[in-house]
Amino acid sequence: MAAGTVCVGGQYSSRRPVTSGVPQGSVLGPILFLIFINLESCLTSSVKFADDTKILGTVSTSDDKDILQQDLQHVVDWAKQWQMQFNTSKCKVMHLCRHNDRFQHFTDGHLLDCDDEQKDLGVQVTADLKPSRECQTAHSKANKILGVISRTFSYKGHDVLLQLYKSLARPNLEYCISARSPYYEKDKQLLERVKHSFTGMIPGIKQLSYEKRLQLIGLWSLEET
């Protein structure tokens, strides 16, 4: 049984046993949350991961718009019943694809703002559903980490740099890759450029070709991975 304390105003209480709840970040946390909340039972179509909820719908006619609006109203009614408060300013509408009538939608009488780009569970999603924006973001993050590694560590042995790359830089390139798998050659090359830069940081092999560097340090290209 775990024990915990409460901090209020900088003062900590004595430790007490915790007999309920799930540790943050656990595998069971999202599943138990979904079972407890049970919000999907009143919605026509939705996607939910823990407390991150999206209402989806194909809206081609005014009738389709009304169905989606009914789902939004169900969410509002559910929140009032359970005495919860939705932050309307954080609720956005994204109209996907080119040919879209871009109907307006409301929550509790408030007009929802429209966005052409949103971050969803750490992935940058755009209205055209192309992965280019997310690839640019991943490339930028990984490149900055390589810069920090280069400036911070004076010892640049092959084994140390490889561990740093695998633990700090590469996860940015591979996070949710199944959801944003790049199919444009320019996006693939952009991500591959990070590994190209990393292999050039290793002393003694900078003058070799990229393919030879990968072979010597035991890495594959991102596409092969």
Side-chain angles (χ1 to χ4, degrees):
M1 181 183 297
T5 62
V6 176
C7 179
V8 178
Q11 300 296 318
Y12 287 88
S13 68
S14 57
R15 296 176 67 85
R16 291 289 187 273
V18 179
T19 58
S20 63
V22 179
Q24 185 175 1
S26 68
V27 176
L28 281 178
I31 298 175
L32 295 176
F33 183 88
L34 294 179
I35 295 173
F36 178 76
I37 293 298
N38 193 28
L39 175 59
E40 279 69 23
S41 60
C42 64
L43 301 179
T44 303
S45 179
S46 68
V47 176
K48 190 169 182 62
F49 181 81
D51 61 344
D52 189 283
T53 302
K54 288 160 285 296
I55 300 177
L56 312 175
T58 302
V59 180
S60 303
T61 65
S62 57
D63 290 339
D64 295 334
K65 182 205 73 170
D66 292 339
I67 292 174
L68 189 59
Q69 185 59 54
Q70 287 174 8
D71 275 352
L72 288 170
Q73 189 57 48
H74 286 321
V75 170
V76 172
D77 295 339
W78 177 90
K80 290 180 178 178
Q81 178 184 356
W82 291 96
Q83 299 180 8
M84 297 179 66
Q85 184 68 39
F86 278 101
N87 190 342
T88 307
S89 63
K90 290 186 177 180
C91 298
K92 308 290 183 182
V93 176
M94 181 177 287
H95 300 284
L96 304 179
C97 304
R98 295 181 181 177
H99 306 292
N100 196 305
D101 291 329
R102 302 181 72 88
F103 289 107
Q104 292 182 331
H105 300 281
F106 301 82
T107 57
D108 203 20
H110 297 283
L111 176 64
L112 294 178
D113 294 331
C114 296
D115 264 356
D116 290 330
E117 184 176 323
Q118 276 286 311
K119 180 169 285 190
D120 182 23
L121 297 176
V123 176
Q124 207 75 22
V125 181
T126 56
D128 59 8
L129 296 180
K130 294 179 179 180
S132 298
R133 185 70 181 88
E134 172 60 19
C135 290
Q136 292 169 7
T137 302
H139 170 267
S140 177
K141 288 181 178 179
N143 245 359
K144 289 178 181 177
I145 290 174
L146 287 185
V148 172
I149 293 173
S150 179
R151 293 189 301 270
T152 304
F153 291 85
S154 57
Y155 174 73
K156 292 182 170 60
H158 152 253
D159 52 344
V160 172
L161 288 179
L162 189 58
Q163 288 300 318
L164 289 170
Y165 169 77
K166 288 182 176 180
S167 60
L168 299 177
R170 191 169 71 177
N172 289 282
L173 304 177
E174 298 180 348
Y175 176 72
C176 280
I177 193 66
S178 57
R180 58 168 177 83
S181 181
Y183 46 86
Y184 288 125
E185 194 62 34
K186 65 180 182 67
D187 294 331
K188 295 178 183 179
Q189 292 176 358
L190 181 67
L191 296 179
E192 195 68 38
R193 204 176 299 162
V194 176
K195 187 174 287 187
H196 193 285
S197 299
F198 162 69
T199 57
M201 292 168 54
I202 301 176
I205 65 172
K206 296 180 181 180
Q207 71 281 3
L208 301 178
S209 67
Y210 178 52
E211 291 74 16
K212 189 65 175 177
R213 289 186 229 163
L214 291 180
Q215 183 179 357
L216 286 175
I217 62 178
L219 289 179
W220 290 356
S221 67
L222 287 173
E223 191 168 6
E224 291 173 323
T225 304

